[in-house]
Amino acid sequence: MSFQATPQLEAEVNELISHYPVKRAASLMVLHAIQEQFGWISQEAVQWTAKKLDLQPINVFEILTFYPMLRQEPQGKYQIKVCRTLSCALGGAYELHHHFCAKLGLDAHKHGPQTTSDGKFTVEFVECLASCGTAPVMMVGEKFYEGVSHAKADEIMGGCK
Amino acid sequence: MSAAATTENKPAAPAIEKIKVKVDGREIEVPRLIADWSGKLTPTTMIQACELAKTEVPHYCWHPKLPVVGNCRMCLVEFGTPALGPDRKPVLNPDGTPKIAKSPRPAISCATPVSPGMEIYTKTPAVKQMREGVLESLLINHPLDCPICDQAGECKLQEYSVDYGQSASRFVEAKVHKPKAVDLGPRIMLDAERCILCTRCIRFTRDIAGDDALGIINRGSYNTIATFPGAPFDNNYTLNTVDVCPVGALTSKDFRFQMRAWFLKETKSVCTSCATGCNILIGSREEKIYRYTPRDNDAVNASWMCDAGRLNYKWIGRADRLQDVWVRGQKSSWPAAIRELADKLKQAPAGSVAIIASARQTNEELWLLAKLKARLGALSDAIPREGESDKLLVSADRNPNTNGARLTGICFTEMGINLVKIADGIASGKIKTLIVFGENIVKRAVAHDKLRERETISEVVDEHGITAELLGKLDALIVSDILPNETTRLAHFVLPGAAPAEKRGTFTSGKGRVQKFMKAVEAPGVARAEWEFLQELVHHVTGQNNGLTVESLFNQMAREVAAFNGLTWQALGDTGVTVQI
Ligand code: SF4
Ligand code: SF4
Ligand code: FES
Ligand code: FES
């Protein structure tokens, strides 16, 4: 799984670095750029980033492990985010999350994102998605779903080819 | 390391203005600026003012030799500053003293500079409450495993808990569990649950050791000190992080589970593994050494020492130590051996004796050997020991007392250049007696013809032509050493000596720091400190009495050797004195 930066990533990162007074300040943006392109950030990518920014790998690894949205493992083709914060929790988010996990053979009690063994789905229980009035809500990739019943959930899953 | 923290003889600093502050009602004068970890003058902080006033302020993250971060909040204090009227003039009390406006909020004393007239309050009920609060929060997820923790007895968390802790926890939820016994590097073990995230270890390795290897990963209650996966924490200074860690999170694999800290007797000593001469404490119990830890000396090693030097003590307790006097293969006694040697040396024609000493011997011992040298008209030298230096402490000269050997006249500035002459003297039969102290000379010996070959390509001087074969030509080979080796096996006289940890004495460091060290443990068997039997031998051979104690030997030496002029054992203090070399 060695990491190979594409010329366009190189160019993008060089551009990003030029926006900041010190290279280190670009760390987060560089990680975003990598994740955008590869879907996740490998240890090799961390080393590459550190080199680019004249840092030690641990400096970049600290950031990577701080933000849950930065992924340390390859993600499923479809990324399901179920909101777990108060309104959704009251609206049945736990049951919904449980439903997905049961259907996909995942452990609902495990912390953090989980990916099915076929690499098709990643399910994550996340904090407020800012649509509290239409709880429970969820996202698949960039797409937003409101008032998700279990039947609707099955329909959404079915739509993922 | 900052140059300023370790360099002696710095040019006199410009006078620093003093300001008056009050600590708990007591007025003291403090300098406006104090050198920070890097030696740069920075505004004096409240915690430093309190230290100068001998008032302890509990703290975790602050360390005088590390950058200030102010993250633990343990050092919170209350304070006030002189009130100013609308006219920017100080408001006065009816009795004429300046009115103090107490700050409504506390401040962390480690990162708040003092100002003239400031009053610092460290003993108020509010301060006590804040300390209790900080401590309670630090203990929320702490495993409280003191009974199996190596730091117990020297743990700041324990100490402050005694002062500000509660006997029962109010925390009823489940504690967060974090990794335990994490193998951080070859010499360091981390218990992440005990860590209070003060970042001292990160700052030490980044800013002092120059190896930015540690960081905090994950977030919230799962925060953990870590290295980058697959990059072990491994530089020559890692064990200093164990010293700076205020709790039992970082432990030394070498010392882990070996001995309770409170059982250790601590003896002031000096590291012998290179010419830097880092000041150390030897921790021993019942004649066994358990650890070395650095001892503060701003003129030498600040608060640090290298891992190699720190761990170089195990040989002292080796079972095969020389512990008997041997004369021609027979066990003998000190009185018999010294008498025979004295008679022999007294009758030796001038120039028939040579001395090879070790720059690991003390100043006093080398000086006594130099006395023999003078009386016997002997050639003498010592054996250089070279390695690589680094940017922080380690010197390329791996002998602790090269300058002692030079100043006492045992060797020339370039150590080892006389070895060729000694080899030639033995080969020609002129030298019949060889006295060797603390060096396994055969080990570095290279057959004569090969050596010449190497010299032409300017190879290292620490190889010489004094081979076992050549030693066979001697009438008498007199060897004192600590461990058995090829040379002691060839010797006619074997005099068992003492490791530096087993005797008192002084070394002169690479930079000319004369430093004394004390005795931590007893030498095994009849092994004795070399200075003890050397002064007897010198007395018998030369008739001189140079003193019977290390103190008197040192003082006498300081009177005779120009470079030590004026020094006394007492004047050396605990941290030594720098002489002109
Ligand atoms: S391991 Fe020790 S020194 Fe390092 S952050 Fe934790 S408590 Fe502080
Ligand atoms: S730098 Fe030299 S004197 Fe200091 S601890 Fe290391 S070996 Fe010993
Ligand atoms: S609580 Fe679910 S969107 Fe806000
Ligand atoms: S010692 Fe001041 S905040 Fe830690």
Side-chain angles (χ1 to χ4, degrees):
Chain A
M1 59 168 190
S2 96
F3 171 82
Q4 198 59 53
T6 57
Q8 108 224 29
L9 180 67
E10 283 266 9
E12 189 184 346
V13 165
N14 290 341
E15 164 74 19
L16 281 170
I17 292 173
S18 73
H19 293 183
Y20 296 91
V22 290
K23 287 184 173 184
R24 186 172 192 159
S27 306
L28 196 53
M29 295 317 289
V30 173
L31 291 178
H32 273 303
I34 294 173
Q35 177 149 309
E36 200 100 306
Q37 188 158 67
F38 294 86
W40 68 296
I41 299 157
S42 65
Q43 307 275 306
E44 288 84 356
V46 171
Q47 280 163 323
W48 180 84
T49 307
K51 223 182 190 152
K52 272 282 203 230
L53 302 176
D54 292 336
L55 297 173
Q56 292 302 314
I58 182 69
N59 308 139
V60 179
F61 193 59
E62 287 180 317
I63 302 171
L64 174 60
T65 57
F66 184 83
Y67 293 105
M69 83 256 178
L70 295 175
R71 305 299 202 194
Q72 299 177 55
E73 268 130 36
Q75 299 299 296
K77 186 169 169 208
Y78 297 98
Q79 296 189 31
I80 299 174
K81 293 191 180 103
V82 182
C83 173
R84 62 185 280 171
T85 310
L86 190 59
S87 304
C88 293
L90 293 171
Y94 277 74
E95 292 78 0
L96 181 61
H97 177 246
H98 216 276
H99 182 73
F100 275 113
C101 290
K103 278 267 152 106
L104 297 172
L106 303 171
D107 178 359
H109 298 290
K110 233 164 120 185
H111 185 78
Q114 291 182 71
T115 303
T116 53
S117 52
D118 61 1
K120 192 165 174 195
F121 292 102
T122 295
V123 179
E124 193 183 8
F125 217 11
V126 300
E127 301 305 332
C128 186
L129 292 176
S131 181
C132 316
T134 56
V137 305
M138 60 171 281
M139 291 174 83
V140 178
E142 300 297 312
K143 252 178 118 185
F144 206 81
Y145 298 91
E146 297 167 301
V148 185
S149 63
H150 291 197
K152 191 164 173 191
D154 291 341
E155 199 181 298
I156 293 169
M157 263 192 287
C160 297
K161 294 290 180 234
Chain B
M1 161 144 324
S2 65
T6 54
T7 318
E8 49 269 11
N9 307 330
K10 21 180 171 174
I16 292 168
E17 188 197 335
K18 298 254 183 187
I19 56 180
K20 283 193 177 133
V21 298
K22 270 190 186 168
V23 176
D24 294 327
R26 213 151 43 81
E27 186 167 79
I28 59 155
E29 272 202 338
V30 299
R32 181 189 273 288
L33 304 168
I34 292 186
D36 72 357
W37 67 280
S38 68
K40 206 175 107 215
L41 286 174
T42 39
T44 303
T45 55
M46 295 199 287
I47 203 169
Q48 288 169 322
C50 290
E51 278 212 330
L52 291 170
K54 304 249 178 321
T55 297
E56 205 209 329
V57 177
H59 57 271
Y60 289 112
C61 66
W62 183 73
H63 186 290
K65 301 269 160 53
L66 296 175
V68 176
V69 289
N71 65 25
C72 75
R73 322 312 280 182
M74 191 64 192
C75 67
L76 282 166
V77 294
E78 294 196 285
F79 69 101
T81 44
L84 291 183
D87 54 353
R88 310 296 297 157
K89 294 241 169 65
V91 184
L92 299 182
N93 289 320
D95 65 356
T97 55
K99 190 173 160 71
I100 298 296
K102 196 174 157 213
S103 159
R105 271 182 295 275
I108 48 171
S109 60
C110 68
T112 312
V114 291
S115 55
M118 184 185 244
E119 296 196 350
I120 304 167
Y121 316 108
T122 74
K123 297 197 164 70
T124 61
V127 169
K128 182 161 181 280
Q129 232 175 31
M130 291 183 287
R131 291 175 184 170
E132 286 168 357
V134 170
L135 206 66
E136 186 173 21
S137 112
L138 285 175
L139 287 176
I140 281 186
N141 285 314
H142 192 86
L144 296 174
D145 52 358
C146 310
I148 53 154
C149 177
D150 279 287
Q151 191 83 358
E154 46 188 12
C155 174
K156 289 285 173 205
L157 205 51
Q158 267 189 335
E159 283 165 28
Y160 299 151
S161 290
V162 172
D163 298 336
Y164 305 103
Q166 286 153 13
S167 54
S169 173
R170 291 190 291 159
F171 188 69
V172 292
E173 291 83 356
K175 290 195 182 218
V176 168
H177 286 293
K178 295 205 249 184
K180 289 183 95 74
V182 182
D183 193 330
L184 220 51
R187 291 170 294 285
I188 307 287
M189 201 71 111
L190 164 72
D191 184 314
E193 291 191 333
R194 294 182 191 148
C195 171
I196 58 163
L197 298 163
C198 69
T199 72
R200 278 183 176 190
C201 54
I202 300 180
R203 285 174 278 150
F204 172 81
T205 191
R206 183 188 63 205
D207 299 313
I208 308 293
D211 173 22
D212 193 357
L214 298 178
I216 296 179
I217 61 161
N218 302 331
R219 68 174 188 176
S221 347
Y222 291 91
N223 268 177
T224 302
I225 291 290
T227 59
F228 184 66
F233 181 39
D234 185 11
N235 61 57
N236 196 18
Y237 294 92
T238 59
L239 284 165
N240 293 289
T241 60
V242 176
D243 302 329
V244 296
C245 180
V247 298
L250 296 176
T251 52
S252 151
K253 285 189 189 169
D254 182 61
F255 182 65
R256 226 167 116 77
F257 305 140
Q258 297 304 307
M259 184 49 64
R260 280 319 205 169
W262 56 82
F263 286 135
L264 293 177
K265 175 178 85 177
E266 295 198 316
T267 308
K268 290 178 184 133
S269 188
V270 174
C271 174
T272 59
S273 296
C274 86
T276 301
C278 294
N279 290 208
I280 62 169
L281 285 176
I282 299 180
S284 64
R285 185 189 185 199
E286 291 178 353
E287 310 307 334
K288 184 168 175 220
I289 297 175
Y290 286 90
R291 68 173 181 190
Y292 286 178
T293 43
R295 178 163 62 90
D296 287 3
N297 186 341
D298 283 352
V300 180
N301 56 306
S303 307
W304 326 118
M305 75 185 293
C306 77
D307 288 3
R310 186 190 300 246
L311 296 177
N312 189 15
Y313 67 87
K314 300 234 156 72
W315 58 274
I316 296 169
R318 252 165 68 174
D320 61 344
R321 283 280 302 268
L322 293 174
Q323 32 185 311
D324 289 296
V325 181
W326 297 86
V327 177
R328 287 176 296 272
Q330 300 291 313
K331 243 187 219 180
S332 180
S333 68
W334 282 110
I338 294 291
R339 208 175 312 122
E340 190 181 337
L341 282 175
D343 290 346
K344 209 177 194 70
L345 293 177
K346 260 194 281 190
Q347 284 154 22
S352 70
V353 180
I355 299 174
I356 298 178
S358 172
R360 288 170 162 177
Q361 308 293 146
T362 67
N363 290 322
E364 301 76 35
E365 289 160 357
L366 292 164
W367 174 68
L368 286 167
L369 283 168
K371 298 241 153 205
L372 281 184
K373 167 187 166 139
R375 165 70 174 69
L376 303 170
L379 274 175
S380 73
D381 211 335
I383 311 271
R385 199 170 259 110
E386 296 290 325
E388 265 177 41
S389 64
D390 70 8
K391 280 193 269 181
L392 189 47
L393 290 173
V394 179
S395 160
D397 177 2
R398 295 297 156 83
N399 276 322
N401 202 17
T402 298
N403 278 325
R406 286 181 187 142
L407 295 177
T408 53
I410 283 294
C411 70
F412 294 107
T413 307
E414 191 180 345
M415 186 185 286
I417 51 168
N418 253 351
L419 295 174
V420 182
K421 279 197 213 151
I422 295 175
D424 289 348
I426 302 174
S428 72
K430 183 156 183 281
I431 294 174
K432 298 242 172 275
T433 303
L434 182 62
I435 301 176
V436 180
F437 262 74
E439 290 289 356
N440 178 13
I441 45 170
V442 180
K443 192 167 153 210
R444 304 297 294 164
V446 172
H448 211 62
D449 41 337
K450 288 234 182 73
L451 188 68
R452 287 287 134 90
E453 219 172 83
R454 283 173 191 238
E455 265 172 15
T456 56
I457 54 166
S458 77
E459 266 280 352
V460 277
V461 248
D462 64 345
E463 287 180 343
H464 53 76
I466 309 168
T467 57
E469 195 195 340
L470 212 52
L471 293 181
K473 299 186 70 171
L474 291 166
D475 283 352
L477 175 59
I478 303 161
V479 179
S480 168
D481 217 322
I482 301 171
L483 292 166
N485 57 45
E486 294 138 281
T487 310
T488 61
R489 276 187 281 278
L490 295 170
H492 304 111
F493 294 82
V494 177
L495 309 172
E502 296 163 344
K503 63 188 176 192
R504 293 189 299 157
T506 61
F507 287 137
T508 310
S509 82
K511 288 187 179 159
R513 190 91 178 169
V514 184
Q515 307 191 97
K516 71 178 173 202
F517 53 88
M518 300 311 223
K519 174 174 169 174
V521 292
E522 286 295 339
V526 304
R528 284 170 84 190
E530 291 84 333
W531 64 264
E532 271 182 50
F533 62 79
L534 269 173
Q535 69 81 19
E536 266 175 52
L537 189 63
V538 170
H539 177 65
H540 288 310
V541 174
T542 67
Q544 298 170 6
N545 186 357
N546 296 294
L548 292 173
T549 61
V550 147
E551 290 89 334
S552 51
L553 282 175
F554 180 86
N555 295 346
Q556 182 64 27
M557 173 182 73
R559 278 192 286 273
E560 289 181 20
V561 179
F564 297 133
N565 207 2
L567 265 183
T568 60
W569 175 267
Q570 201 186 1
L572 290 178
D574 285 340
T575 52
V577 170
T578 302
V579 299
Q580 205 63 45
I581 45 166

